[in-house]
Amino acid sequence: MKKIRINTSKPYDVIIQRGGLKNAGEYISSVIKSKRTVIITDDTVGGIYGEILGKSLEKSGISYDIFTFPHGEASKNLSTLGDIFNFLCSCELTRSDFIIALGGGVTGDMAGFAAGAYLRGISFVQIPTTLLAQIDSSVGGKTAVDLPGGKNLVGLFKQPDLVICDSDTLDTLTDEIFADGMAEAIKYGMIRDKSLFELIENHNSGNIRDVIDDVVYSCIDIKRDVVENDEFERGERMILNFGHTIGHALEAHHNYTDYTHGQGVAAGMCYISRRFAPADISERLEKCVKCYGLPTDDEAGIENLLSYCSRDKKCESDNINYIVCEEIGKAQIRKSSLSEFRCLMEEKNNGR
């Protein structure tokens, strides 16, 4: 077992352990004294891991109810969130009780949002079961839901009380969902850790699983450093959005159905790097992205994606913040007007 301490405004531990799900009740009981919880999960993950988690909770004397919603980004909306609030109310959950998020990033976002808002805030535990959620969305306290106008436009910061990453849950992921997480792992290497990028670069989608525990630890360690320095995303934490400006536009353009978050981030990193990074860096990134079956481009074309950028939460008045990696392992935050950003992106990416 490995443990990483996240020293934010409310410190908490991230536990990384194969088989950790079976010990979840014990770990939770050590940090939360309540014996009452609601598990929030989707209809895929709940069927695979709900019983295992339930038995672990019962062993520790914790009673629970389960709220299940249809899997996928399309469920990450205000309607589902309202259903969650009503379910918590029907279970008579109190301020001393807690919520468990069991699943991927969509589950973690909605459960965290609910925990931050219900009764003005109750405790919650993250048990991420996808690679993307383990290395990225479960750590740092950002929660949100999507609106028709854009991704993650309504949300709040809510740090978990505990995060339990069981690497065994990654064994049941489809290749596509696993690749989703690898897009974020590549991002971490690009923005902060050249050795991590090279580790990923020197493997492929077939054998990266042999070293996935090292990848998970390295990514969480990087995010810990960034989040501790800038918990509420007023400066340095923006570098975690490398690839996300265009990535979110791709997701919105495809109505959150045809394009996964990881696919959007992968293509988004490549779009930005073709314009702002040296050719050799851009080419290495694209080669690495392709190795994991992720896209480097999209038929929509950059001109059709830029209209979504003005609705992105990274905009400030008529300006937009975006992240550039001119060398592997180092990220820069840049700001320009939306019109200038449009010209810069069209200049290099036009026709691609």
Side-chain angles (χ1 to χ4, degrees):
M1 180 178 71
K2 293 184 177 180
K3 191 180 289 187
I4 297 178
R5 185 71 167 174
I6 313 293
N7 288 307
T8 48
S9 54
K10 184 182 75 174
Y12 56 95
D13 289 327
V14 179
I15 294 172
I16 306 170
Q17 181 188 37
R18 288 194 172 272
L21 189 60
K22 295 178 181 178
N23 301 317
E26 175 188 345
Y27 298 147
I28 292 169
S29 294
S30 69
V31 296
I32 298 176
K33 300 311 176 186
S34 171
K35 296 299 182 181
R36 181 86 179 93
T37 188
V38 167
I39 301 169
I40 297 175
T41 189
D42 67 38
D43 54 7
T44 297
V45 176
I48 301 172
Y49 298 115
E51 185 177 354
I52 297 172
L53 175 58
K55 287 181 178 179
S56 179
L57 294 174
E58 289 173 348
K59 187 177 178 180
S60 295
I62 301 172
S63 63
Y64 65 90
D65 286 289
I66 300 180
F67 177 89
T68 304
F69 63 90
H71 66 276
E73 186 76 24
S75 289
K76 203 175 86 169
N77 54 48
L78 292 172
S79 176
T80 307
L81 187 64
D83 291 340
I84 291 173
F85 287 137
N86 287 329
F87 186 80
L88 298 177
C89 187
S90 70
C91 293
E92 299 182 351
L93 220 62
T94 72
R95 282 185 174 177
S96 62
D97 299 324
F98 66 102
I99 290 171
I100 297 175
L102 174 67
V106 171
T107 300
D109 262 11
M110 290 198 296
F113 195 140
Y118 184 70
L119 300 177
R120 297 192 179 91
I122 62 175
S123 297
F124 93 111
V125 174
Q126 286 269 23
I127 306 182
T129 59
T130 65
L131 178 59
L132 190 152
Q134 288 189 6
I135 67 175
D136 190 64
S137 60
S138 66
V139 177
K142 287 172 69 173
T143 74
V145 295
D146 304 333
L147 297 180
K151 184 180 173 73
N152 293 339
L153 293 184
V154 179
L156 50 80
F157 285 93
K158 172 65 175 176
Q159 299 295 347
D161 290 65
L162 179 68
V163 181
I164 302 171
C165 297
D166 183 345
S167 302
D168 285 346
T169 62
L170 306 182
D171 295 340
T172 60
L173 300 180
T174 65
D175 291 341
E176 181 183 63
I177 299 301
F178 186 85
D180 244 28
M182 288 309 303
E184 291 283 2
I186 293 168
K187 177 201 76 177
Y188 279 111
M190 287 293 296
I191 65 171
R192 184 54 69 90
D193 190 340
K194 184 177 181 180
S195 64
L196 173 62
F197 180 86
E198 291 173 344
L199 174 69
I200 297 169
E201 181 183 44
N202 292 328
H203 287 73
N204 56 47
S205 58
N207 60 23
I208 191 66
R209 291 176 184 263
D210 296 339
V211 293
I212 200 62
D213 288 359
D214 295 329
V215 172
V216 169
Y217 184 90
S218 294
C219 291
I220 294 174
D221 195 41
I222 292 168
K223 187 160 191 181
R224 181 263 307 275
D225 289 343
V226 173
V227 168
E228 286 182 354
N229 290 336
D230 180 22
E231 181 174 355
F232 299 108
E233 200 174 21
R234 298 189 178 101
E236 181 184 353
R237 188 168 177 171
M238 291 182 192
I239 69 172
L240 298 174
N241 290 322
F242 178 51
H244 287 59
T245 300
I246 300 299
H248 284 174
L250 280 163
E251 289 185 79
H253 179 79
H254 289 278
N255 299 312
Y256 304 108
T257 55
D258 302 330
Y259 236 78
T260 65
H261 178 66
Q263 288 172 332
V265 169
M269 291 189 293
C270 293
Y271 270 107
I272 287 287
S273 295
R274 281 196 292 267
R275 174 59 187 89
F276 297 103
D280 61 322
I281 301 300
S282 178
E283 289 166 6
R284 279 182 71 182
L285 172 61
E286 292 200 21
K287 183 178 178 181
C288 185
V289 163
K290 287 178 180 177
C291 243
Y292 292 90
L294 292 161
T296 62
D297 212 331
D298 185 76
E299 61 183 13
I302 190 65
E303 65 279 357
N304 292 318
L305 300 175
L306 289 170
S307 61
Y308 293 96
C309 294
S310 63
R311 290 173 266 170
D312 193 273
K313 64 183 186 301
K314 291 176 282 297
C315 287
E316 299 174 353
S317 186
D318 293 326
N319 297 317
I320 187 169
N321 297 305
Y322 58 98
I323 312 305
V324 173
C325 294
E326 293 183 331
E327 56 183 293
I328 295 171
K330 294 184 179 180
Q332 299 175 339
I333 303 168
R334 294 188 182 177
K335 178 185 287 189
S336 67
S337 67
L338 286 164
S339 59
E340 181 185 8
F341 181 71
R342 175 183 289 273
C343 290
L344 289 169
M345 293 303 296
E346 289 179 336
E347 176 185 326
K348 187 68 175 182
N349 289 279
N350 188 36
R352 295 194 63 173

